[in-house]
Amino acid sequence: MNKIEAVVIEIESMENLNLVSFQFEEQTLTMISLDLSKEIKVGKKVVLSLKPTNITLAKELKGLISSSNNLTATIDNIEIGKLLTCITSKIFNTQFQTIITTKSLEKLKLVLNEEINLLFKASDLAILDILDD
């Protein structure tokens, strides 16, 4: 499970549906939530979670996409398996693990220290923990 420390910067709500924006390093992340804790307020520090299988990798990305979250990272490690490959990438001091098929690795021709995009939908993020101020 990927863990991302971030700060709540905006909350938009309509009935039970919430669209929450977070500041992560110099990036903005967006999450959709049906039940948002009353403790979650603008300025609150949180730890977000993101499954490695929910991240799509892109190389030389151009054009518009519907994924709410698009982070640029550098490949730090590649563990190649027969069917699946685990890519570890880094954004500042935060590591992200992504699991893709080994066929996708071969198609993308990913290598260490290469810059890639991590794409994931707002519904893939979750608040794992609320940090003390």
Side-chain angles (χ1 to χ4, degrees):
M1 185 70 64
N2 293 297
K3 296 180 182 177
I4 308 161
E5 285 192 25
V7 176
V8 178
I9 57 173
E10 184 178 12
I11 301 171
E12 295 178 66
S13 300
M14 188 172 129
E15 297 177 12
N16 284 342
L17 183 63
N18 304 281
L19 190 61
V20 186
S21 297
F22 303 92
Q23 185 75 42
F24 162 66
E25 298 295 343
E26 298 165 0
Q27 308 282 325
T28 299
L29 300 176
T30 304
M31 177 190 83
I32 292 175
S33 174
L34 292 177
D35 295 314
L36 193 64
S37 167
K38 299 290 184 203
E39 294 179 69
I40 304 299
K41 296 180 180 355
V42 172
K44 198 69 168 169
K45 293 180 185 175
V46 297
V47 177
L48 303 171
S49 66
L50 175 63
K51 293 180 183 178
T53 52
N54 287 353
I55 300 173
T56 298
L57 298 182
K59 182 176 172 178
E60 301 170 15
L61 180 66
K62 295 178 182 163
L64 300 174
I65 57 170
S66 66
S67 291
S68 297
N69 300 295
N70 176 3
L71 302 175
T72 302
T74 303
I75 297 176
D76 206 34
N77 190 40
I78 302 172
E79 294 177 35
I80 303 170
K82 183 176 179 180
L83 299 176
L84 298 176
T85 293
C86 180
I87 307 286
T88 303
S89 56
K90 206 179 228 184
I91 301 173
F92 295 100
N93 292 324
T94 302
Q95 285 193 327
F96 289 82
Q97 287 190 328
T98 305
I99 297 174
I100 62 173
T101 64
T102 300
K103 286 183 180 183
S104 290
L105 172 74
E106 293 164 357
K107 177 176 68 175
L108 291 169
K109 298 178 183 162
L110 299 175
V111 295
L112 290 176
N113 300 314
E114 184 171 30
E115 205 170 79
I116 56 170
N117 292 86
L118 311 178
L119 307 168
F120 49 96
K121 297 180 346 181
S123 58
D124 292 334
L125 274 180
I127 297 174
L128 182 65
D129 198 11
I130 301 170
L131 301 175
D132 294 329
D133 294 328

